[in-house]
């Protein structure tokens, strides 16, 4: 996604703004210390001016494209008149859609994140996306019946992939089943027969001890439990057992428990440092919005979630592209000005090495001048720093590194500026 402009929660502020965006291409490093030219540190500076004779206080909003899991890598900070200021974090819903799995059949098995400036323009132009991000969190007080599995036992010494399966029959018009901690799913639509299975936890492999069947609508009736030699569920075995408890609660309470468990697990095992600061409420809100928009409660559920695995939602929500907003108050005195600065690390757009594209090896950076902003811009400037290790391949900004032109004036009426660079050899 592009670097977006600062905006405000208020529609007509009376403030004017001068903006300077700087991409700093200082050399980075791999984990082993070897040099790496990848990404840029972006500083987005604003001088907000109040031409009126009264102080103006606004709720400033700084938008940026990213993921919940990547918050720690992006590392956003905000200063007001040079002093770092605290902010609240708001997250918009998933910014993309779904696509087929390589066969043009209209299916929705794979994620389809936004991949162009126009995608983000369509997302933000109307203001509806921002309104949703700042609005109240949806609540799922839908009553559910939960079957909880615990106290597992299996002959792991003989069967390393010992599996337990739950088999039942339902009326799909009356009952929907969601799961957590289950690995396999089979069904026979003609006979409304369904089987859910999981590898029995052995305390060694990374297998969750939290396993739930969540029933929406009419409760299930009789079910059978059977142990198998492995996840194929072809070879029945003895010695597999568990305890099943039944409880009535709400889907909101279930998602709260699962989000808490997933965050705890990812913080222990994940390489995403930002998860340490991700709030439970923000995460649960994103999961709830995903369940409502593309899951079992959606008007048209995505094929990707047809098995009802809540595990898939909980992971996808962490890595789905979205626009996030930093919210903080700013008071501009009558006849005066205030400087606001946002800093973040920006990963580039790029083509994978296997794509066959002529653009492999290029890094792309985009800038939105006024998209989604309520501010009136009187000037905008773009600048580059530490450019000795890059060359510019394509742009519409006007930089000329050979002649030392590393700062250019932008036209606020031009909605989209872009820069494509290549790291220099050596």
């Amino acid at each position: 996604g592009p670097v977006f402009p600062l905006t405000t929660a208020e529609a007509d502020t009376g403030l004017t703004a001068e903006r300077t965006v700087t991409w700093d291409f200082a050399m980075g490093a791999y984990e082993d210390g070897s040099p790496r030219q990848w990404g840029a540190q972006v500083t987005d500076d604003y001088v907000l001016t109040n031409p009126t004779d009264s102080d103006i206080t606004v709720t400033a909003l700084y938008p940026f494209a990213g993921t919940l899991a990547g918050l720690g890598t992006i590392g956003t900070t905000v200063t007001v008149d040079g002093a770092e200021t605290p902010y609240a974090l708001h997250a918009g819903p998933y910014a993309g859609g779904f696509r087929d799995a390589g066969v043009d059949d209209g299916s929705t098995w794979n994620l389809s994140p936004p991949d162009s400036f126009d995608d983000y323009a369509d997302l933000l132009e109307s203001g509806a996306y921002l309104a949703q991000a700042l609005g109240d969190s949806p609540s799922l007080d839908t009553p559910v019946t939960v079957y909880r599995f615990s106290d597992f036992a299996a002959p792991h010494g003989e069967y390393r992939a010992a599996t337990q399966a739950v088999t039942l029959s339902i009326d799909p018009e009356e009952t929907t089943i969601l799961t957590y901690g289950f690995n396999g799913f089979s069904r026979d639509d003609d006979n409304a027969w369904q089987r859910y299975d999981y590898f029995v936890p052995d305390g060694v492999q990374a297998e969750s001890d939290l396993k739930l069947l969540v029933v929406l609508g009419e409760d299930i009736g009789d079910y059978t439990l059977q142990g198998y030699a492995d996840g194929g569920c072809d070879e029945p075995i003895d010695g597999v057992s568990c305890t099943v408890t039944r409880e009535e609660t709400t889907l909101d309470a279930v998602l709260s428990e699962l989000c808490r468990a997933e965050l705890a697990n990812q913080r222990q095992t994940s390489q995403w440092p930002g998860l340490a600061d991700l709030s439970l409420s923000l995460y649960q809100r994103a999961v709830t919005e995903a369940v409502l928009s593309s899951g079992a409660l959606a008007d048209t559920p995505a094929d990707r979630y047809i098995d009802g695995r809540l595990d898939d939602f909980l992971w996808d929500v962490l890595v789905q592209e979205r626009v996030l907003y930093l919210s903080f108050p700013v008071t501009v005195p009558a006849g005066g000005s205030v400087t606001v600065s946002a800093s973040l690390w920006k990963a580039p757009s790029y083509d994978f090495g296997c794509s066959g594209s002529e653009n492999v090896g290029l890094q792309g950076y985009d800038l939105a001048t006024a998209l989604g902003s309520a501010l009136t811009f009187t000037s905008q400037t773009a600048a580059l720093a530490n450019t000795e290790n890059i060359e510019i391949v394509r742009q519409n900004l006007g930089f000329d590194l050979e002649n030392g032109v590393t700062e250019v004036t932008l036209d606020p009426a031009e909605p989209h500026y872009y820069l494509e660079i290549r790291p220099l050899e050596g």
Side-chain angles (χ1 to χ4, degrees):
V3 177
F4 298 111
L6 182 75
T7 186
T8 60
E10 299 78 14
D12 298 310
T13 65
L15 300 175
T16 62
E18 301 171 55
R19 181 191 191 193
T20 300
V21 180
T22 303
W23 287 273
D24 187 339
F25 290 101
M27 181 72 76
Y30 288 97
E31 290 185 3
D32 63 2
S34 58
R36 185 191 195 201
Q37 188 69 58
W38 177 258
Q41 187 68 28
V42 173
T43 304
D44 200 354
D45 295 323
Y46 299 82
V47 177
L48 303 181
T49 300
N50 177 4
T52 74
D53 56 6
S54 300
D55 294 353
I56 296 177
T57 298
V58 297
T59 300
L61 299 167
Y62 189 73
F64 61 97
T67 67
L68 296 181
L71 287 172
T73 302
I74 298 170
T76 49
T77 59
V78 173
T79 62
V80 177
D81 279 344
E84 188 168 339
T85 186
Y87 53 76
L89 178 64
H90 305 272
Y94 172 41
F98 298 87
R99 61 178 175 82
D100 60 67
V103 178
D104 187 11
D105 56 3
S107 61
T108 51
W109 292 106
N110 287 347
L111 298 175
S112 180
D115 64 358
S116 72
F117 181 85
D118 289 341
D119 288 339
Y120 284 100
D122 292 342
L123 190 72
L124 300 184
E125 275 179 339
S126 72
Y129 186 89
L130 172 59
Q132 183 173 345
L134 300 182
D136 294 334
S137 176
S139 177
L140 287 175
D141 56 1
T142 309
V144 295
T145 303
V146 176
Y147 291 83
R148 188 180 299 268
F149 298 73
S150 61
D151 302 328
F152 306 103
H156 292 295
E158 186 176 358
Y159 303 100
R160 297 182 59 187
T163 297
Q164 184 162 55
V166 184
T167 304
L168 49 86
S169 295
I170 63 167
D171 180 351
E173 297 296 325
E174 302 295 334
T175 302
T176 297
I177 296 179
L178 307 177
T179 68
Y180 181 82
F182 281 72
N183 307 103
F185 173 61
S186 304
R187 68 181 180 187
D188 181 344
D189 289 335
D190 292 336
N191 298 304
W193 170 90
Q194 298 188 159
R195 182 178 66 202
Y196 302 88
D197 61 83
Y198 57 81
F199 296 116
V200 180
D202 60 3
V204 177
Q205 301 182 58
E207 181 65 36
S208 173
D209 287 337
L210 183 58
K211 301 191 182 298
L212 307 178
L213 284 182
V214 183
V215 182
L216 290 76
E218 185 177 302
D219 196 6
I220 63 174
D222 295 336
Y223 59 88
T224 60
L225 297 173
Q226 176 61 56
Y228 292 93
D230 55 43
C233 297
D234 296 321
E235 181 184 346
I237 62 173
D238 296 325
V240 177
S241 66
C242 71
T243 298
V244 182
T245 57
R246 177 187 179 278
E247 61 185 89
E248 296 179 1
T249 182
T250 65
L251 185 53
D252 202 52
V254 172
L255 292 182
S256 180
E257 177 186 4
L258 296 184
C259 287
R260 187 177 294 106
E262 190 72 13
L263 274 185
N265 178 59
Q266 292 298 336
R267 285 167 178 164
Q268 289 179 351
T269 62
S270 179
Q271 299 181 8
W272 301 99
L275 293 180
D277 299 321
L278 177 60
S279 71
L280 175 63
S281 60
L282 192 68
Y283 181 36
Q284 184 174 343
R285 172 180 178 144
V287 171
T288 299
E289 289 175 334
V291 170
L292 287 170
S293 64
S294 54
L297 301 184
D299 293 335
T300 306
D303 295 327
R304 183 177 183 85
Y305 306 120
I306 197 170
D307 291 353
R309 282 174 44 86
L310 291 172
D311 315 58
D312 295 335
F313 279 105
L314 292 160
W315 172 249
D316 281 356
V317 159
L318 290 175
V319 298
Q320 286 171 337
E321 292 288 336
R322 62 188 72 237
V323 178
L324 301 106
Y325 296 86
L326 309 182
S327 170
F328 52 98
V330 176
T331 298
V332 186
S337 298
V338 167
T339 300
V340 175
S341 181
S343 178
L344 68 156
W345 187 82
K346 192 69 179 171
S349 303
Y350 64 95
D351 285 2
F352 287 98
C354 61
S355 66
S357 165
E358 63 180 4
N359 298 318
V360 171
L362 300 187
Q363 299 178 27
Y365 301 88
D366 294 80
L367 172 68
T369 52
L371 177 62
S373 181
L375 293 173
T376 299
F377 290 97
T378 58
S379 69
Q380 293 204 31
T381 301
L384 302 179
N386 293 307
T387 59
E388 59 272 11
N389 295 312
I390 67 166
E391 63 176 343
I392 296 176
V393 178
R394 290 187 289 264
Q395 62 167 323
N396 67 344
L397 285 150
F399 295 120
D400 185 349
L401 298 186
E402 291 184 358
N403 292 299
V405 179
T406 58
E407 184 172 306
V408 294
T409 299
L410 306 180
D411 180 2
E414 170 61 47
H416 175 210
Y417 284 93
Y418 64 89
L419 172 70
E420 297 175 13
I421 66 102
R422 177 186 289 115
L424 294 175
E425 292 293 332

